[in-house]
Amino acid sequence: IYEVVHRPEKPEDRVFIVNARRKGDKVVSALIEGKPGAFSRRGAHMRQIVFGLTMPGVEEEDLSKATPVALEGEAKAALDGAIDEMKALTGAPAVAVAVVRGGEVVFTHATGTRRRGHDEPVDVHTPFLIGSVTKSLASLLVARLVDQGKLEWGTKVKDLLPGFRTGDPAMTDRLTIADTFCACTGMPRQDMELVFEYAKKRPDSIFSAFAEQKPTTAFGETFQYNNQMTTLGGFLAARVLEKGDIGKAFASAMKKQVFDPIGMKDTTLDFAAAKKRAAHPHGLSLLDDREEPGVLPFDIESFIVPYAPAGGVFSSAADMARFAMVELAGGVTPEGERVVSELNLYERRKPRTKTSAKGYYGLGLGSGLRKGLAVVSHDGGTFGSSARLFLIPEHQMGLVVLTNGGGSKLLDGVTSRFLEIVFGEKPRAKKVLERELADKQRMIGEIRARDLGAVPEEVASRLAGTYEQAKLGRLVVTRGKDGSVVLDVGEWKSRVGYKKVAEVETLTFIDAPVAGLPVRVEGAEIVVEHDQHTYRFTKRR
Protein backbone atom coordinates (compact mmCIF):
# COMPACT_ATOMS: atom_id res chain seq x y z
CA ILE A 1 0.00 0.00 0.00
CA TYR A 2 1.27 3.45 -0.90
CA GLU A 3 -0.54 6.56 0.21
CA VAL A 4 0.11 10.26 -0.33
CA VAL A 5 -1.80 12.84 1.70
CA HIS A 6 -1.88 16.57 0.99
CA ARG A 7 -2.93 18.31 4.19
CA PRO A 8 -4.17 21.91 4.05
CA GLU A 9 -2.54 24.89 5.73
CA LYS A 10 -5.98 26.31 6.55
CA PRO A 11 -9.16 24.49 7.65
CA GLU A 12 -11.18 25.85 4.75
CA ASP A 13 -8.78 24.22 2.29
CA ARG A 14 -9.36 20.69 1.03
CA VAL A 15 -7.50 17.47 1.76
CA PHE A 16 -6.30 15.29 -1.12
CA ILE A 17 -5.43 11.60 -0.71
CA VAL A 18 -4.06 9.19 -3.29
CA ASN A 19 -4.11 5.54 -2.17
CA ALA A 20 -2.50 2.90 -4.38
CA ARG A 21 -2.26 -0.85 -3.87
CA ARG A 22 -0.08 -3.02 -6.07
CA LYS A 23 0.21 -6.77 -6.61
CA GLY A 24 2.63 -7.64 -9.36
CA ASP A 25 1.62 -5.60 -12.39
CA LYS A 26 -1.90 -4.93 -11.07
CA VAL A 27 -2.63 -1.62 -9.34
CA VAL A 28 -5.81 -0.30 -7.76
CA SER A 29 -5.83 3.44 -7.03
CA ALA A 30 -8.28 5.65 -5.17
CA LEU A 31 -8.29 9.45 -5.25
CA ILE A 32 -10.22 11.22 -2.50
CA GLU A 33 -10.67 14.90 -1.76
CA GLY A 34 -12.75 16.77 0.76
CA LYS A 35 -12.84 19.09 3.76
CA PRO A 36 -10.95 17.94 6.89
CA GLY A 37 -14.18 17.68 8.90
CA ALA A 38 -15.75 15.47 6.27
CA PHE A 39 -12.83 13.05 6.51
CA SER A 40 -13.49 12.78 10.23
CA ARG A 41 -17.24 12.24 9.79
CA ARG A 42 -16.95 9.84 6.87
CA GLY A 43 -13.79 7.91 7.71
CA ALA A 44 -15.68 4.62 8.04
CA HIS A 45 -17.38 5.16 4.68
CA MET A 46 -14.06 5.86 3.00
CA ARG A 47 -12.53 2.70 4.46
CA GLN A 48 -15.48 0.71 3.13
CA ILE A 49 -15.01 2.11 -0.36
CA VAL A 50 -11.22 2.17 -0.65
CA PHE A 51 -10.47 -1.15 1.03
CA GLY A 52 -13.62 -2.78 -0.33
CA LEU A 53 -12.18 -2.51 -3.84
CA THR A 54 -10.69 -5.78 -5.04
CA MET A 55 -8.03 -6.38 -7.66
CA PRO A 56 -9.02 -8.60 -10.60
CA GLY A 57 -7.25 -11.93 -10.25
CA VAL A 58 -5.91 -11.16 -6.78
CA GLU A 59 -7.65 -13.03 -4.00
CA GLU A 60 -7.12 -12.44 -0.29
CA GLU A 61 -5.61 -15.38 1.56
CA ASP A 62 -8.46 -17.40 3.11
CA LEU A 63 -7.77 -19.00 6.51
CA SER A 64 -11.34 -20.13 7.17
CA LYS A 65 -10.58 -23.74 6.21
CA ALA A 66 -7.17 -23.87 7.91
CA THR A 67 -6.67 -26.08 10.98
CA PRO A 68 -4.83 -24.21 13.75
CA VAL A 69 -1.72 -25.86 15.13
CA ALA A 70 -0.91 -26.14 18.82
CA LEU A 71 1.40 -23.47 20.25
CA GLU A 72 4.09 -25.85 21.39
CA GLY A 73 7.52 -26.94 20.23
CA GLU A 74 8.63 -25.11 17.09
CA ALA A 75 5.43 -23.04 16.91
CA LYS A 76 5.91 -21.76 20.46
CA ALA A 77 9.57 -21.01 19.85
CA ALA A 78 8.68 -19.13 16.65
CA LEU A 79 6.15 -16.91 18.43
CA ASP A 80 8.54 -16.31 21.35
CA GLY A 81 11.23 -15.22 18.91
CA ALA A 82 8.86 -13.05 16.88
CA ILE A 83 7.67 -11.13 19.94
CA ASP A 84 11.23 -10.42 21.04
CA GLU A 85 12.19 -9.36 17.52
CA MET A 86 9.20 -7.04 17.11
CA LYS A 87 9.77 -5.54 20.55
CA ALA A 88 13.31 -4.69 19.45
CA LEU A 89 12.20 -3.30 16.07
CA THR A 90 9.62 -0.96 17.62
CA GLY A 91 11.80 0.03 20.57
CA ALA A 92 9.10 -0.99 23.04
CA PRO A 93 10.27 -1.00 26.69
CA ALA A 94 8.05 -4.02 27.46
CA VAL A 95 5.44 -6.32 25.98
CA ALA A 96 3.24 -8.98 27.60
CA VAL A 97 1.34 -11.54 25.52
CA ALA A 98 -1.08 -14.35 26.34
CA VAL A 99 -2.85 -16.87 24.08
CA VAL A 100 -5.85 -18.91 25.18
CA ARG A 101 -7.47 -21.89 23.52
CA GLY A 102 -10.27 -24.17 24.60
CA GLY A 103 -10.56 -22.65 28.07
CA GLU A 104 -6.84 -22.79 28.84
CA VAL A 105 -3.90 -20.44 28.68
CA VAL A 106 -1.62 -22.11 26.15
CA PHE A 107 1.06 -19.45 25.74
CA THR A 108 2.49 -16.52 27.70
CA HIS A 109 5.42 -14.24 27.02
CA ALA A 110 6.43 -11.18 29.02
CA THR A 111 9.67 -9.32 28.51
CA GLY A 112 11.18 -5.91 29.12
CA THR A 113 10.99 -3.35 31.87
CA ARG A 114 8.31 -1.22 33.51
CA ARG A 115 10.53 1.84 33.06
CA ARG A 116 13.34 2.18 30.57
CA GLY A 117 16.63 2.55 32.38
CA HIS A 118 15.39 0.79 35.53
CA ASP A 119 15.68 -2.83 36.57
CA GLU A 120 11.95 -3.45 36.93
CA PRO A 121 11.13 -6.52 34.80
CA VAL A 122 7.55 -7.16 33.72
CA ASP A 123 5.76 -10.49 33.95
CA VAL A 124 2.28 -11.76 33.03
CA HIS A 125 0.91 -10.24 36.25
CA THR A 126 2.25 -6.72 35.60
CA PRO A 127 -0.65 -4.29 35.05
CA PHE A 128 -0.66 -2.14 31.92
CA LEU A 129 -3.13 0.65 31.15
CA ILE A 130 -5.38 -1.00 28.55
CA GLY A 131 -7.10 2.17 27.28
CA SER A 132 -10.21 1.60 25.18
CA VAL A 133 -10.23 -2.16 25.70
CA THR A 134 -11.89 -0.98 28.93
CA LYS A 135 -15.04 -0.36 26.87
CA SER A 136 -15.60 -4.09 26.41
CA LEU A 137 -15.39 -4.59 30.17
CA ALA A 138 -17.71 -1.65 30.85
CA SER A 139 -20.34 -3.01 28.45
CA LEU A 140 -20.04 -6.33 30.31
CA LEU A 141 -21.06 -4.46 33.48
CA VAL A 142 -24.24 -3.36 31.70
CA ALA A 143 -24.84 -6.92 30.50
CA ARG A 144 -24.61 -8.14 34.11
CA LEU A 145 -27.11 -5.52 35.26
CA VAL A 146 -29.52 -6.50 32.49
CA ASP A 147 -29.24 -10.11 33.66
CA GLN A 148 -30.09 -8.95 37.20
CA GLY A 149 -33.11 -6.97 36.05
CA LYS A 150 -31.60 -3.66 37.18
CA LEU A 151 -31.33 -2.26 33.66
CA GLU A 152 -32.48 -2.92 30.12
CA TRP A 153 -30.40 -2.26 27.04
CA GLY A 154 -33.20 0.04 25.94
CA THR A 155 -33.36 2.03 29.18
CA LYS A 156 -33.36 5.73 28.29
CA VAL A 157 -30.49 7.86 29.52
CA LYS A 158 -32.92 10.65 30.43
CA ASP A 159 -34.76 8.21 32.74
CA LEU A 160 -31.53 7.29 34.50
CA LEU A 161 -30.36 10.90 34.68
CA PRO A 162 -33.26 13.36 35.07
CA GLY A 163 -32.37 16.68 33.50
CA PHE A 164 -29.96 15.13 31.00
CA ARG A 165 -29.88 16.89 27.67
CA THR A 166 -27.78 17.20 24.54
CA GLY A 167 -27.68 20.00 22.00
CA ASP A 168 -30.17 18.01 19.92
CA PRO A 169 -33.60 17.37 21.51
CA ALA A 170 -34.24 14.30 19.32
CA MET A 171 -30.96 12.75 20.50
CA THR A 172 -31.81 13.57 24.12
CA ASP A 173 -35.15 11.83 23.78
CA ARG A 174 -34.02 8.65 22.07
CA LEU A 175 -30.59 7.90 23.63
CA THR A 176 -30.45 4.54 25.46
CA ILE A 177 -27.83 2.91 27.64
CA ALA A 178 -26.92 0.62 24.73
CA ASP A 179 -26.51 3.60 22.41
CA THR A 180 -23.80 5.06 24.62
CA PHE A 181 -21.57 2.10 23.68
CA CYS A 182 -22.35 1.78 19.95
CA ALA A 183 -20.28 4.59 18.34
CA CYS A 184 -23.32 4.96 16.09
CA THR A 185 -25.10 8.00 17.56
CA GLY A 186 -23.54 10.52 15.18
CA MET A 187 -21.79 12.34 18.02
CA PRO A 188 -18.28 13.28 16.79
CA ARG A 189 -15.00 12.48 18.46
CA GLN A 190 -13.86 15.11 21.00
CA ASP A 191 -10.50 13.87 22.22
CA MET A 192 -8.90 17.29 22.67
CA GLU A 193 -11.17 17.73 25.68
CA LEU A 194 -9.53 14.65 27.21
CA VAL A 195 -6.01 15.85 26.47
CA PHE A 196 -6.18 19.43 27.80
CA GLU A 197 -7.05 20.67 31.30
CA TYR A 198 -7.81 17.25 32.78
CA ALA A 199 -6.25 17.60 36.24
CA LYS A 200 -9.19 19.62 37.53
CA LYS A 201 -11.94 17.59 35.91
CA ARG A 202 -14.25 15.48 38.01
CA PRO A 203 -15.92 12.33 36.66
CA ASP A 204 -19.41 13.72 37.24
CA SER A 205 -18.67 16.64 34.89
CA ILE A 206 -19.49 14.31 32.00
CA PHE A 207 -23.20 14.50 32.83
CA SER A 208 -23.46 18.17 31.87
CA ALA A 209 -20.87 18.08 29.09
CA PHE A 210 -23.39 16.99 26.46
CA ALA A 211 -25.62 20.06 26.77
CA GLU A 212 -23.91 21.79 23.82
CA GLN A 213 -22.99 18.70 21.81
CA LYS A 214 -24.84 17.81 18.62
CA PRO A 215 -24.52 14.85 16.24
CA THR A 216 -22.88 15.57 12.88
CA THR A 217 -24.34 12.53 11.11
CA ALA A 218 -27.66 10.76 11.44
CA PHE A 219 -28.16 8.06 14.06
CA GLY A 220 -26.76 4.74 12.81
CA GLU A 221 -25.49 6.31 9.61
CA THR A 222 -21.79 5.84 10.22
CA PHE A 223 -19.16 4.95 12.82
CA GLN A 224 -18.08 7.94 14.93
CA TYR A 225 -16.06 7.13 18.03
CA ASN A 226 -16.90 9.24 21.08
CA ASN A 227 -15.16 8.55 24.40
CA GLN A 228 -17.45 10.85 26.35
CA MET A 229 -20.50 8.85 25.27
CA THR A 230 -19.07 5.56 26.60
CA THR A 231 -18.06 7.35 29.79
CA LEU A 232 -21.67 8.45 30.26
CA GLY A 233 -22.97 4.90 29.81
CA GLY A 234 -20.50 3.31 32.19
CA PHE A 235 -21.07 5.87 34.93
CA LEU A 236 -24.86 5.61 34.65
CA ALA A 237 -24.64 1.83 34.96
CA ALA A 238 -22.60 2.26 38.14
CA ARG A 239 -25.12 4.76 39.53
CA VAL A 240 -27.81 2.07 39.34
CA LEU A 241 -25.80 0.16 41.97
CA GLU A 242 -24.20 2.86 44.10
CA LYS A 243 -24.74 6.53 44.89
CA GLY A 244 -22.15 9.10 45.90
CA ASP A 245 -18.92 9.87 44.05
CA ILE A 246 -19.45 8.48 40.55
CA GLY A 247 -15.79 7.63 39.96
CA LYS A 248 -15.64 5.54 43.13
CA ALA A 249 -19.04 4.01 42.37
CA PHE A 250 -17.85 2.88 38.93
CA ALA A 251 -14.63 1.40 40.32
CA SER A 252 -16.60 -0.45 43.00
CA ALA A 253 -19.21 -1.71 40.53
CA MET A 254 -16.56 -2.99 38.14
CA LYS A 255 -14.69 -4.79 40.90
CA LYS A 256 -17.79 -6.46 42.33
CA GLN A 257 -19.62 -7.14 39.08
CA VAL A 258 -16.82 -7.82 36.59
CA PHE A 259 -13.29 -8.19 37.94
CA ASP A 260 -14.05 -10.39 40.96
CA PRO A 261 -16.52 -12.75 39.19
CA ILE A 262 -14.04 -13.30 36.34
CA GLY A 263 -11.10 -13.68 38.74
CA MET A 264 -9.11 -10.68 37.55
CA LYS A 265 -6.91 -10.18 40.61
CA ASP A 266 -4.33 -7.85 39.01
CA THR A 267 -6.96 -5.52 37.56
CA THR A 268 -7.93 -2.14 38.98
CA LEU A 269 -9.36 1.30 38.27
CA ASP A 270 -7.45 2.77 41.23
CA PHE A 271 -4.86 5.03 39.57
CA ALA A 272 -2.83 5.58 42.76
CA ALA A 273 -2.66 1.84 43.47
CA ALA A 274 -1.73 1.03 39.87
CA LYS A 275 1.10 3.54 39.96
CA LYS A 276 2.96 1.40 42.48
CA ARG A 277 3.30 -1.64 40.22
CA ALA A 278 2.07 -0.92 36.69
CA ALA A 279 4.19 -0.47 33.57
CA HIS A 280 5.08 3.18 33.02
CA PRO A 281 4.05 5.01 29.84
CA HIS A 282 6.65 5.81 27.18
CA GLY A 283 6.54 8.15 24.18
CA LEU A 284 8.65 9.67 21.42
CA SER A 285 9.78 13.20 20.74
CA LEU A 286 10.00 14.18 17.07
CA LEU A 287 13.56 15.37 17.69
CA ASP A 288 14.80 12.21 19.40
CA ASP A 289 17.88 10.75 17.69
CA ARG A 290 17.04 7.32 19.04
CA GLU A 291 13.98 5.45 17.81
CA GLU A 292 13.05 4.03 21.19
CA PRO A 293 10.42 5.88 23.24
CA GLY A 294 11.46 7.56 26.48
CA VAL A 295 9.82 7.40 29.90
CA LEU A 296 6.85 9.71 30.43
CA PRO A 297 5.69 10.87 33.88
CA PHE A 298 3.24 8.27 35.16
CA ASP A 299 0.72 10.94 36.13
CA ILE A 300 0.42 12.06 32.52
CA GLU A 301 -1.94 9.09 32.06
CA SER A 302 -4.31 10.49 34.69
CA PHE A 303 -6.12 12.22 31.82
CA ILE A 304 -8.24 9.07 31.62
CA VAL A 305 -9.43 9.12 35.26
CA PRO A 306 -12.46 11.41 34.62
CA TYR A 307 -13.34 9.15 31.67
CA ALA A 308 -12.70 5.80 33.37
CA PRO A 309 -15.37 3.72 31.54
CA ALA A 310 -13.81 4.72 28.22
CA GLY A 311 -10.25 3.68 29.05
CA GLY A 312 -9.22 3.71 32.71
CA VAL A 313 -8.59 0.03 33.51
CA PHE A 314 -5.14 -1.32 34.40
CA SER A 315 -4.88 -5.05 33.75
CA SER A 316 -2.31 -7.79 33.22
CA ALA A 317 -1.84 -10.34 30.45
CA ALA A 318 -2.90 -13.07 32.91
CA ASP A 319 -6.13 -11.27 33.81
CA MET A 320 -6.98 -10.31 30.24
CA ALA A 321 -6.50 -13.96 29.31
CA ARG A 322 -9.21 -14.84 31.85
CA PHE A 323 -11.49 -12.20 30.35
CA ALA A 324 -10.83 -13.63 26.88
CA MET A 325 -11.75 -17.13 28.09
CA VAL A 326 -15.02 -15.89 29.59
CA GLU A 327 -15.87 -14.18 26.29
CA LEU A 328 -15.06 -17.32 24.31
CA ALA A 329 -16.98 -19.61 26.68
CA GLY A 330 -20.22 -17.67 26.38
CA GLY A 331 -19.94 -15.98 29.78
CA VAL A 332 -18.50 -18.82 31.89
CA THR A 333 -15.16 -18.84 33.74
CA PRO A 334 -12.61 -21.66 33.24
CA GLU A 335 -13.82 -23.04 36.60
CA GLY A 336 -17.40 -23.27 35.32
CA GLU A 337 -18.87 -20.23 37.10
CA ARG A 338 -21.34 -18.23 35.02
CA VAL A 339 -20.53 -14.51 34.94
CA VAL A 340 -23.14 -13.36 32.42
CA SER A 341 -25.83 -14.95 30.29
CA GLU A 342 -25.01 -15.90 26.70
CA LEU A 343 -27.90 -13.72 25.54
CA ASN A 344 -26.50 -10.52 27.01
CA LEU A 345 -22.85 -11.38 26.37
CA TYR A 346 -23.61 -11.74 22.66
CA GLU A 347 -25.83 -8.66 22.60
CA ARG A 348 -22.60 -6.70 22.86
CA ARG A 349 -21.29 -8.24 19.63
CA LYS A 350 -24.29 -7.51 17.40
CA PRO A 351 -23.24 -5.16 14.56
CA ARG A 352 -24.55 -1.63 15.17
CA THR A 353 -22.57 0.25 12.55
CA LYS A 354 -20.03 -0.57 9.85
CA THR A 355 -16.40 0.42 10.45
CA SER A 356 -14.80 -0.87 7.24
CA ALA A 357 -15.50 -3.13 4.26
CA LYS A 358 -15.52 -6.21 6.50
CA GLY A 359 -15.80 -4.75 9.99
CA TYR A 360 -18.53 -3.68 12.41
CA TYR A 361 -18.83 -2.13 15.84
CA GLY A 362 -21.18 -3.44 18.51
CA LEU A 363 -21.34 -2.34 22.14
CA GLY A 364 -17.74 -1.81 23.19
CA LEU A 365 -16.53 -4.57 20.86
CA GLY A 366 -15.64 -4.76 17.18
CA SER A 367 -16.29 -7.72 14.92
CA GLY A 368 -15.61 -8.71 11.33
CA LEU A 369 -13.64 -10.92 8.99
CA ARG A 370 -9.87 -11.20 8.85
CA LYS A 371 -8.78 -13.36 5.93
CA GLY A 372 -11.94 -15.42 6.25
CA LEU A 373 -11.75 -15.78 10.02
CA ALA A 374 -14.60 -14.29 12.07
CA VAL A 375 -12.95 -12.22 14.82
CA VAL A 376 -14.06 -10.12 17.78
CA SER A 377 -11.64 -7.49 19.02
CA HIS A 378 -10.88 -4.11 20.55
CA ASP A 379 -7.74 -1.99 20.76
CA GLY A 380 -6.71 0.55 23.34
CA GLY A 381 -4.21 3.38 23.21
CA THR A 382 -3.30 6.11 25.71
CA PHE A 383 -0.44 8.62 25.87
CA GLY A 384 2.10 5.88 26.48
CA SER A 385 0.47 2.43 26.47
CA SER A 386 -1.32 0.20 23.95
CA ALA A 387 -3.40 -2.98 24.22
CA ARG A 388 -5.30 -5.46 22.08
CA LEU A 389 -7.94 -8.10 22.76
CA PHE A 390 -8.30 -10.39 19.71
CA LEU A 391 -10.72 -13.35 19.73
CA ILE A 392 -11.44 -16.09 17.17
CA PRO A 393 -14.64 -17.65 18.59
CA GLU A 394 -14.94 -20.47 16.05
CA HIS A 395 -11.63 -21.91 17.24
CA GLN A 396 -12.07 -20.88 20.88
CA MET A 397 -8.81 -18.94 20.58
CA GLY A 398 -7.83 -15.55 21.90
CA LEU A 399 -4.77 -13.30 21.88
CA VAL A 400 -3.92 -10.51 24.32
CA VAL A 401 -1.08 -8.05 23.65
CA LEU A 402 -0.06 -5.29 26.11
CA THR A 403 2.80 -2.81 25.70
CA ASN A 404 4.03 0.40 27.30
CA GLY A 405 5.48 2.04 24.20
CA GLY A 406 5.34 -0.25 21.17
CA GLY A 407 2.16 1.30 19.81
CA SER A 408 -0.26 -0.07 17.26
CA LYS A 409 2.50 -1.28 14.96
CA LEU A 410 3.70 -3.71 17.62
CA LEU A 411 0.12 -4.90 18.21
CA ASP A 412 -0.34 -5.46 14.48
CA GLY A 413 3.00 -7.22 14.08
CA VAL A 414 2.41 -9.67 16.93
CA THR A 415 -1.16 -10.37 15.79
CA SER A 416 -0.10 -11.03 12.20
CA ARG A 417 2.77 -13.31 13.21
CA PHE A 418 0.45 -15.20 15.59
CA LEU A 419 -1.94 -15.91 12.68
CA GLU A 420 0.93 -16.91 10.39
CA ILE A 421 2.28 -19.43 12.88
CA VAL A 422 -1.02 -20.89 14.08
CA PHE A 423 -2.92 -20.95 10.77
CA GLY A 424 -0.07 -21.47 8.32
CA GLU A 425 -0.45 -18.06 6.70
CA LYS A 426 2.39 -16.91 4.48
CA PRO A 427 5.09 -15.26 6.64
CA ARG A 428 4.95 -11.52 5.92
CA ALA A 429 4.54 -9.92 9.35
CA LYS A 430 8.16 -8.94 9.92
CA LYS A 431 8.57 -7.51 6.42
CA VAL A 432 5.36 -5.48 6.76
CA LEU A 433 6.42 -4.15 10.17
CA GLU A 434 9.85 -3.13 8.87
CA ARG A 435 8.24 -1.32 5.94
CA GLU A 436 5.74 0.48 8.19
CA LEU A 437 8.47 1.56 10.61
CA ALA A 438 10.55 2.85 7.68
CA ASP A 439 7.49 4.77 6.43
CA LYS A 440 7.02 6.23 9.91
CA GLN A 441 10.64 7.38 10.07
CA ARG A 442 10.34 8.93 6.62
CA MET A 443 7.20 10.78 7.73
CA ILE A 444 8.95 12.04 10.88
CA GLY A 445 11.85 13.18 8.71
CA GLU A 446 9.44 15.12 6.50
CA ILE A 447 7.82 16.75 9.54
CA ARG A 448 11.24 17.72 10.89
CA ALA A 449 12.22 19.30 7.60
CA ARG A 450 8.88 20.96 6.86
CA ASP A 451 7.28 21.88 10.20
CA LEU A 452 9.93 22.10 12.91
CA GLY A 453 11.87 25.22 12.05
CA ALA A 454 13.18 27.38 14.88
CA VAL A 455 10.70 29.95 16.16
CA PRO A 456 11.97 33.42 15.10
CA GLU A 457 12.77 35.76 17.97
CA GLU A 458 10.11 38.23 16.90
CA VAL A 459 7.48 35.47 16.86
CA ALA A 460 8.61 34.07 20.22
CA SER A 461 8.34 37.50 21.84
CA ARG A 462 4.94 38.14 20.28
CA LEU A 463 3.54 34.78 21.40
CA ALA A 464 4.83 34.83 24.99
CA GLY A 465 1.99 34.97 27.48
CA THR A 466 -1.09 33.21 28.84
CA TYR A 467 -3.99 32.04 26.68
CA GLU A 468 -7.38 30.63 27.66
CA GLN A 469 -10.12 28.61 26.01
CA ALA A 470 -13.45 27.74 27.63
CA LYS A 471 -13.23 23.95 27.18
CA LEU A 472 -9.49 23.32 26.95
CA GLY A 473 -8.41 25.64 29.76
CA ARG A 474 -5.16 27.57 30.01
CA LEU A 475 -2.08 27.49 27.80
CA VAL A 476 1.13 29.37 28.59
CA VAL A 477 3.79 30.17 26.00
CA THR A 478 7.26 30.42 27.55
CA ARG A 479 10.94 29.99 26.67
CA GLY A 480 12.80 26.82 27.59
CA LYS A 481 16.28 26.76 29.10
CA ASP A 482 17.68 25.91 25.67
CA GLY A 483 15.93 28.91 24.11
CA SER A 484 13.15 26.86 22.55
CA VAL A 485 9.52 28.01 22.63
CA VAL A 486 7.40 25.85 24.96
CA LEU A 487 3.62 25.49 25.14
CA ASP A 488 2.65 24.54 28.71
CA VAL A 489 -0.90 23.36 29.42
CA GLY A 490 -0.24 22.58 33.09
CA GLU A 491 -0.56 18.80 32.99
CA TRP A 492 2.15 18.55 30.33
CA LYS A 493 4.26 20.78 28.11
CA SER A 494 6.01 20.52 24.77
CA ARG A 495 8.49 22.39 22.64
CA VAL A 496 7.14 23.58 19.30
CA GLY A 497 8.51 24.03 15.81
CA TYR A 498 7.51 26.84 13.46
CA LYS A 499 6.66 27.34 9.81
CA LYS A 500 5.03 30.09 7.78
CA VAL A 501 3.36 29.43 4.43
CA ALA A 502 1.37 32.08 2.54
CA GLU A 503 1.07 34.21 5.70
CA VAL A 504 -0.27 31.23 7.68
CA GLU A 505 1.82 30.66 10.83
CA THR A 506 1.84 27.14 12.26
CA LEU A 507 3.32 25.72 15.46
CA THR A 508 3.83 21.94 15.70
CA PHE A 509 4.19 20.12 19.01
CA ILE A 510 7.51 18.27 19.25
CA ASP A 511 7.17 16.24 22.44
CA ALA A 512 4.81 13.59 23.81
CA PRO A 513 1.94 13.28 24.44
CA VAL A 514 0.79 15.20 21.34
CA ALA A 515 3.92 15.15 19.17
CA GLY A 516 3.04 16.16 15.62
CA LEU A 517 -0.15 18.08 16.47
CA PRO A 518 -0.20 21.40 14.55
CA VAL A 519 -1.84 24.60 15.80
CA ARG A 520 -2.24 27.93 14.00
CA VAL A 521 -1.38 31.42 15.16
CA GLU A 522 -4.03 33.99 14.25
CA GLY A 523 -3.34 37.40 15.75
CA ALA A 524 -3.80 37.12 19.51
CA GLU A 525 -5.17 33.58 19.23
CA ILE A 526 -3.69 30.09 19.09
CA VAL A 527 -6.10 27.85 17.20
CA VAL A 528 -6.38 24.09 17.65
CA GLU A 529 -8.17 22.26 14.81
CA HIS A 530 -8.89 18.60 15.53
CA ASP A 531 -11.38 16.28 13.86
CA GLN A 532 -14.55 18.38 13.51
CA HIS A 533 -13.79 20.94 16.21
CA THR A 534 -12.09 24.32 16.40
CA TYR A 535 -10.76 25.64 19.73
CA ARG A 536 -9.47 29.21 19.95
CA PHE A 537 -7.10 30.08 22.79
CA THR A 538 -7.25 33.86 23.32
CA LYS A 539 -4.34 35.76 24.82
CA ARG A 540 -5.18 37.25 28.22
CA ARG A 541 -1.83 38.63 29.30
Side-chain angles (χ1 to χ4, degrees), residues 41 46 65 69-70 79 151 166 179 191 208 222 224 251 258 274 279 324 334 336 360 390 416 423 448 465 474 502:
R41 289 191 297 275
M46 286 187 289
K65 301 293 192 297
V69 303
L79 187 55
L151 268 181
T166 70
D179 295 338
D191 284 357
S208 59
T222 189
Q224 289 208 71
V258 178
Y360 298 86
F390 185 85
S416 295
F423 288 92
R448 286 174 177 170
R474 179 175 295 180

Side-chain angles (χ1 to χ4, degrees), residues 72-191:
E72 54 190 29
E74 291 183 4
K76 178 183 182 302
L79 187 55
D80 276 323
I83 294 168
D84 287 340
E85 189 170 36
M86 290 175 178
K87 173 183 174 297
L89 284 170
T90 58
V95 59
V97 177
V99 177
V100 301
R101 184 174 184 183
E104 296 181 349
V105 179
V106 297
F107 175 91
T108 59
H109 185 107
T111 183
T113 181
R114 289 172 51 205
R115 284 190 294 173
R116 192 180 298 285
H118 293 73
D119 185 19
E120 299 174 339
V122 303
D123 60 28
V124 294
H125 292 287
T126 300
F128 290 73
L129 186 54
I130 65 171
S132 286
V133 182
T134 298
K135 292 176 172 68
S136 58
L137 288 158
S139 68
L140 189 66
L141 169 64
V142 178
R144 287 263 300 179
L145 298 183
V146 175
D147 277 346
Q148 296 165 16
K150 296 173 180 176
L151 268 181
E152 295 180 2
W153 290 109
T155 300
K156 296 284 186 70
V157 168
K158 66 178 184 178
D159 293 335
L160 293 170
L161 185 63
F164 171 78
R165 65 186 180 91
T166 70
D168 176 46
M171 171 67 71
T172 303
D173 187 61
R174 71 155 296 161
L175 193 68
T176 68
I177 195 76
D179 295 338
T180 64
F181 287 89
C182 75
C184 66
T185 64
M187 284 290 195
R189 194 161 193 154
Q190 297 187 186
D191 284 357

Side-chain angles (χ1 to χ4, degrees), residues 327-328 346 349 374-376 390-398:
E327 285 282 354
L328 291 166
Y346 294 139
R349 302 185 194 175
V375 301
V376 175
F390 185 85
L391 309 176
I392 311 173
E394 180 183 357
H395 295 288
Q396 288 291 291
M397 297 187 73

Side-chain angles (χ1 to χ4, degrees), residues 18 33 44 62 114 143 146 150 180 207 209 236 252 288 351 451 453-454:
V18 179
E33 63 93 13
D62 186 0
R114 289 172 51 205
V146 175
K150 296 173 180 176
T180 64
F207 295 147
L236 288 180
S252 175
D288 279 347
D451 301 333

Side-chain angles (χ1 to χ4, degrees), residues 505-539:
E505 294 182 293
T506 304
L507 304 174
T508 299
F509 287 93
I510 291 170
D511 303 309
V514 293
L517 176 70
V519 299
R520 291 194 318 281
V521 178
E522 293 185 359
E525 293 183 325
I526 293 177
V527 184
V528 179
E529 294 273 354
H530 193 262
D531 287 328
Q532 300 167 55
H533 306 283
T534 299
Y535 304 94
R536 293 182 174 274
F537 285 88
T538 301
K539 193 171 187 179

